């Protein structure tokens, strides 16, 4: 019997979601190329949480945890900006209840590990080919034809649009442009050198006091701080979310701010929290917080949206990247070796059946819990929501759906 013919897969975008899809499809035996518009693909130097549902997928991919330089994420201590005693929100034991423990790490380390799994010689399937400096500007989803910015024509059996919150290919899928909406919220994002905490007892609330994991400081007028250790506890990732007084549509989504601007915005916070802010080094990244609205569909023909292109949202639940990783894992399950080009549209429709409602749930809840005072902190308080998100087995659910829909391969 002859070996099944692999699909030629084009993944547009080399971020966390694009690489996750590339790994999953490589492991199925397909020939995968990842096209990235930038000449050098680098992730923003910030921290990221990897919850148990995403760790479960990484386990299946064969990742090496030491490469992530992780810190434990056992819960969060919440403080009031006036400096009251913190309230601990401790997760149930994740390793016991979900089979795997979530962690905190640098986004760059996560990206590098996914890149190793995609491009390296080790592991199932042929190494993924990463094509840098190639911007995809158009696609014929019925046949999988791609057009680059320079006019080059490319062909693929399946196209995965992992081109982010500003996705170009999203317009192809929907037939009309859909822009992530401005909601009047932004965040300062930066990394603190943990060595600067030595001999500073006023900063013990970050690394020393309470459960290992996050620190949440709720302030007046919608100003909050969320901080946590990463990179083997050598750094602390700091995200400072607050109302944006600017007309966001007249400013870049990613700009920079000064240390004085950060201190002015958080001037009403107590001394222990200002002590952290005073460690900030200029320039400070200032990001608009935007979310992609609910989309009518994620697929068209042989083209499917993935990750932020489909469901970019706020970081409130710490599940944004995890949803992209789950998306990639599901695509691998829906496109096993032996899938023909003619079968791709129905397999991508099945991918949407599995992923869309879950991705939209995280999108909606993240925005609401980040903007509605009545829902603030709901995820940390709701064991039911934690179970729903953290206990999910993306590969198991996807494989079961595939078997019910298409029969076992």
């Amino acid at each position: 019997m002859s070996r099944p013919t692999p699909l030629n897969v084009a993944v547009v975008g080399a971020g966390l979601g694009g690489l996750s899809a590339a790994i999953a499809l490589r492991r199925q035996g397909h020939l995968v190329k990842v096209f990235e518009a930038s000449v050098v693909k680098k992730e923003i130097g910030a921290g990221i949480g990897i919850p148990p549902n995403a760790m479960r997928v990484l386990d299946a991919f064969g990742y090496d945890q030491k490469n992530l330089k992780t810190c434990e994420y056992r819960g969060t201590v919440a403080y009031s900006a006036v400096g009251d005693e913190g309230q601990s929100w401790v997760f149930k034991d994740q390793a016991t209840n979900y089979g795997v423990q979530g962690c905190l790490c640098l986004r760059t380390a996560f990206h590098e590990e996914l890149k190793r799994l995609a491009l390296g010689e080790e592991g199932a399937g042929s190494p993924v080919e990463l094509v840098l400096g190639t911007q995809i500007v158009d696609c014929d989803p019925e046949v999988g034809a791609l057009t680059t910015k320079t006019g080059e024509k490319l062909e693929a059996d399946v196209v995965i649009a992992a081109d982010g919150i500003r996705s170009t290919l999203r317009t192809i899928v929907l037939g009309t442009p859909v822009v992530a909406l401005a909601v009047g919220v932004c965040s300062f994002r930066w990394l603190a050198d943990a060595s600067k905490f030595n001999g500073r007892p006023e900063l013990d609330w970050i690394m020393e006091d309470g459960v290992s994991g996050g620190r949440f400081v709720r302030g007046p007028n919608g100003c909050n701080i969320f901080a946590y250790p990463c990179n083997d506890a050598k750094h602390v990732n700091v995200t400072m979310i607050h109302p944006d007084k600017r007309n966001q549509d007249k400013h870049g989504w990613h700009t920079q701010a000064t240390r004085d601007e950060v201190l002015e915005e958080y001037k009403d916070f107590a001394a222990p929290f200002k002590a952290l802010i005073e460690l900030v080094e200029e320039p400070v990244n200032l990001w608009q917080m935007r979310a992609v609205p609910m989309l009518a569909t994620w697929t068209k023909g042989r083209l499917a949206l993935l990750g932020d292109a489909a469901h970019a949202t706020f970081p409130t639940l710490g599940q944004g990247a995890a949803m992209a990783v789950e998306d990639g894992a599901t695509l691998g399950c829906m496109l096993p070796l032996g899938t023909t080009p003619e079968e791709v549209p129905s397999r991508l429709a099945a991918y949407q059946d599995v992923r869309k409602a879950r991705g939209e749930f995280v999108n909606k809840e993240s925005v609401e819990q980040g903007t509605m005072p009545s829902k603030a902190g709901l995820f940390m308080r709701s064991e039911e929501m934690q179970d729903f998100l953290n206990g999910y087995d993306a590969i198991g659910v996807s494989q079961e759906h595939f078997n019910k829909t298409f029969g076992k391969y």
Side-chain angles (χ1 to χ4, degrees), residues 281-292:
E281 296 181 3
E282 296 181 339
V284 187
N285 289 316
L286 176 60
W287 293 80
Q288 292 189 29
M289 306 279 284
R290 292 185 177 233
V292 171

Side-chain angles (χ1 to χ4, degrees), residues 317 361 365 369 378-379 382-389:
L317 306 189
F361 173 84
E365 285 294 324
Q369 293 185 38
L378 176 59
F379 174 70
S382 173
E383 189 171 299
E384 180 182 9
M385 191 176 295
Q386 292 173 31
D387 288 345
F388 174 70
L389 294 175

Side-chain angles (χ1 to χ4, degrees), residues 48 140 190 195 214 216 234-235 263 302 334 348:
I48 191 170
D140 180 345
W190 53 285
S195 67
F216 178 68
K234 294 177 182 176
H235 290 92
L263 287 168
R302 300 185 187 183
M334 296 303 160
L348 295 182

Side-chain angles (χ1 to χ4, degrees), residues 55-390:
M55 295 296 292
R56 189 173 290 108
V57 175
L58 295 185
D59 277 340
F61 286 170
Y63 89 111
D64 189 336
Q65 185 168 0
K66 73 174 184 296
N67 292 335
L68 298 182
K69 300 179 180 179
T70 61
C71 293
E72 290 187 339
Y73 190 19
R74 302 282 180 179
T76 294
V77 183
Y79 298 90
S80 164
V82 299
D84 294 342
E85 185 175 349
Q87 175 186 359
S88 293
W89 291 333
V90 181
F91 294 135
K92 65 168 61 175
D93 188 276
Q94 294 179 339
T96 299
N97 289 277
Y98 308 131
V100 63
Q101 177 65 44
C103 68
L104 303 162
C105 68
L106 278 177
R107 191 180 185 94
T108 49
F110 190 10
H111 187 261
E112 285 299 311
E113 180 63 1
L114 291 178
K115 192 161 66 172
R116 182 187 72 83
L117 292 168
L119 308 183
E121 293 293 333
E122 297 180 1
S126 300
V128 171
E129 181 180 349
L130 177 59
V131 184
L132 296 171
T134 301
Q135 183 177 354
I136 304 297
V137 297
D138 199 6
C139 174
D140 180 345
E142 301 308 317
V143 296
L146 297 166
T147 304
T148 71
K149 187 176 182 179
T150 61
E152 183 181 1
K153 303 295 183 180
L154 306 169
E155 295 182 354
D157 298 314
V158 56
V159 180
I160 307 305
D163 51 346
I165 192 171
R166 297 177 185 262
S167 173
T168 297
L169 297 184
R170 184 166 60 222
T171 300
I172 306 298
V173 171
L174 297 167
T176 187
V178 175
V179 178
L181 302 176
V183 294
V185 179
C186 61
S187 68
F188 299 120
R189 291 169 56 185
W190 53 285
L191 284 174
D193 183 345
S195 67
K196 294 183 178 181
F197 297 0
N198 296 335
R200 301 281 303 275
E202 69 273 23
L203 292 171
D204 284 352
W205 63 275
I206 301 173
M207 303 274 281
E208 302 295 330
D209 300 340
V211 63
S212 299
R215 299 293 181 266
F216 178 68
V217 187
R218 184 188 306 283
N221 305 315
C223 293
N224 303 310
I225 299 174
F226 189 65
Y228 56 81
C230 54
N231 192 28
D232 285 338
K234 294 177 182 176
H235 290 92
V236 171
N237 184 76
V238 185
T239 302
M240 306 173 66
I241 299 175
H242 57 282
D244 195 344
K245 303 178 182 68
R246 308 170 301 170
N247 181 334
Q248 290 186 317
D249 288 326
K250 294 184 178 180
H251 292 268
W253 292 15
H254 173 212
T255 54
Q256 294 180 330
T258 66
R259 178 174 172 272
D260 287 344
E261 287 173 325
V262 179
L263 287 168
E264 175 63 24
E265 191 70 50
Y266 286 77
K267 63 184 178 182
D268 295 326
F269 279 57
F273 312 123
K274 284 185 178 177
L276 172 63
I277 300 171
E278 287 167 355
L279 295 177
V280 71
E281 296 181 3
E282 296 181 339
V284 187
N285 289 316
L286 176 60
W287 293 80
Q288 292 189 29
M289 306 279 284
R290 292 185 177 233
V292 171
M294 304 300 130
L295 306 178
T297 182
W298 289 7
T299 72
K300 185 174 184 180
R302 300 185 187 183
L303 171 62
L305 303 176
L306 175 147
D308 281 355
H311 48 68
T313 189
F314 286 16
T316 320
L317 306 189
Q319 285 281 344
M323 290 301 103
V325 172
E326 288 186 3
D327 289 349
T330 296
L331 281 168
C333 294
M334 296 303 160
L335 296 167
L337 187 64
T339 303
T340 67
E342 294 73 25
E343 291 173 325
V344 167
S346 65
R347 302 297 171 80
L348 295 182
Y351 154 75
Q352 173 173 290
D353 290 342
V354 172
R355 295 301 309 158
K356 193 167 186 288
R358 181 168 168 85
E360 289 180 344
F361 173 84
V362 169
N363 185 335
K364 179 175 179 291
E365 285 294 324
S366 295
V367 173
E368 290 184 355
Q369 293 185 38
T371 58
M372 296 170 57
S374 62
K375 297 189 73 171
L378 176 59
F379 174 70
M380 291 302 302
R381 298 192 304 271
S382 173
E383 189 171 299
E384 180 182 9
M385 191 176 295
Q386 292 173 31
D387 288 345
F388 174 70
L389 294 175
N390 293 334

